[in-house]
Amino acid sequence: AGSFRLALRDRPQHERRHGSHRAIVTEVGATLRHYSVEDADIIDGFGVEEWSPSGRGQVLAPWPNRLDGGKYRFEDRDGRAALDEPELQNAIHGLVRWLPWRTASKSADGVELTCVLHPQPGYPWRLDLQVGYRLDGTGLTVSIRARNGSSVPAPFGIGFHPYLTVGTHRRLRREDVEQVRQGTTRSNRSDRRSRWLNIAVAGELVQDPDTVLRRARANLERLQANHPRGQGAMWLRQWEKLLDGP
């Protein structure tokens, strides 16, 4: 275990190990830059001289996801955050992703980082945050503590943004497929429900593709009318491209 400096950003990073588990956490945003087991990447991270692309591994607080127009109201107080996703008129993923976090404690297999978010136009409350990363033989545990440092109630939400990797290939062993098909493998109700749904949708699509696609377009038009702009509209445009085909 050890710490080293990020050449371009000049902020420490913390490399921690436990057996074959290895994690690297940056002090910019308390971001999980790397996590691997037996040299196999569990998350799709980023390089030592890069900043986090697309929010990879970042802590999203005091709100995850997006604020439409950057505006909200809570307990008769107004917040107005900068639009850092200007093309969609959104304030995205909170206010602590690019802040420096202080090291509160560290050991060979873990580190805890703290950050104070001071009152500002986008969040007129004080928030004290602590995020911990700890490795053991079963994996990586992430903990969070948040304290409202204001004298009045404050809104709070948090999320994490790891990009999980599926490995270098997606091949399945034939025996595993046969076990699922024949019902000889154990599965929970959620697994079975997902298979039923996939079979139902795929079956209809094969038997009557025109009806399925016509229904999909009608649903898409209805959703586009309800969500004319913002993040929802962007994803609906992606579905429209998919239905239009090459």
Side-chain angles (χ1 to χ4, degrees):
S3 298
F4 52 94
R5 285 199 164 273
L6 177 60
L8 296 184
R9 304 295 178 266
D10 195 31
R11 296 300 305 176
Q13 300 188 46
H14 300 278
E15 180 177 356
R16 294 295 177 263
R17 294 178 181 266
H18 184 100
S20 62
H21 297 253
R22 176 173 176 253
I24 300 175
V25 178
T26 74
E27 285 199 0
V28 174
T31 299
L32 180 63
R33 185 175 76 76
H34 173 89
Y35 176 45
S36 62
V37 180
E38 296 181 351
D39 294 325
D41 288 339
I42 304 301
I43 66 169
D44 186 12
F46 54 97
V48 65
E49 293 191 346
E50 295 180 297
W51 58 22
S52 168
S54 303
R56 292 168 189 253
Q58 291 184 323
V59 179
L60 318 179
W63 68 84
N65 215 326
R66 291 153 175 84
L67 296 176
D68 188 9
K71 297 182 290 186
Y72 62 96
R73 188 170 181 81
F74 179 80
E75 297 284 341
D76 296 326
R77 302 184 77 176
D78 293 314
R80 176 125 195 192
L83 302 181
D84 45 6
E85 194 179 44
E87 66 278 11
L88 296 174
Q89 294 294 293
N90 289 322
I92 181 172
H93 291 334
L95 298 168
V96 301
R97 296 190 293 151
W98 304 107
L99 293 183
W101 290 57
R102 291 177 173 270
T103 304
S105 66
K106 56 185 177 180
S107 63
D109 54 11
V111 63
E112 291 185 325
L113 304 168
T114 62
C115 176
V116 177
L117 182 63
H118 293 284
Q120 56 192 275
Y123 191 79
W125 300 272
R126 175 185 165 120
L127 188 63
D128 301 313
L129 293 171
Q130 180 169 307
V131 172
Y133 297 91
R134 188 160 304 280
L135 296 168
D136 61 23
T138 63
L140 173 66
T141 298
V142 182
S143 60
I144 176 70
R145 295 178 184 174
R147 187 181 72 87
N148 178 9
S150 302
S151 59
V152 295
F156 176 72
I158 192 166
F160 296 86
H161 215 257
Y163 279 53
L164 300 178
T165 177
V166 296
T168 57
H169 62 80
R170 298 184 182 184
R171 296 184 62 187
L172 299 175
R173 297 185 305 173
R174 182 178 181 84
E175 55 266 35
D176 293 336
V177 176
E178 288 298 321
Q179 285 182 348
V180 172
R181 188 177 68 84
Q182 297 172 9
T184 57
T185 185
R186 297 182 64 182
S187 59
N188 57 38
R189 180 172 175 79
S190 178
D191 294 332
R192 294 192 295 273
R193 186 174 182 274
S194 295
R195 289 200 296 271
W196 296 336
L197 179 60
N198 291 334
I199 291 170
V201 172
E204 282 195 38
L205 185 59
V206 170
Q207 293 174 12
D208 192 356
D210 292 337
T211 298
V212 171
L213 292 175
R214 186 168 58 252
R215 188 182 305 149
R217 289 186 183 281
N219 288 336
L220 180 62
E221 290 174 1
R222 175 176 53 81
L223 290 169
Q224 286 176 322
N226 292 333
H227 304 279
R229 69 184 186 90
Q231 184 72 8
M234 183 190 74
W235 289 115
L236 290 171
R237 286 194 295 272
Q238 297 300 316
W239 277 106
E240 186 174 28
K241 291 179 182 179
L242 183 64
L243 289 176
D244 289 342

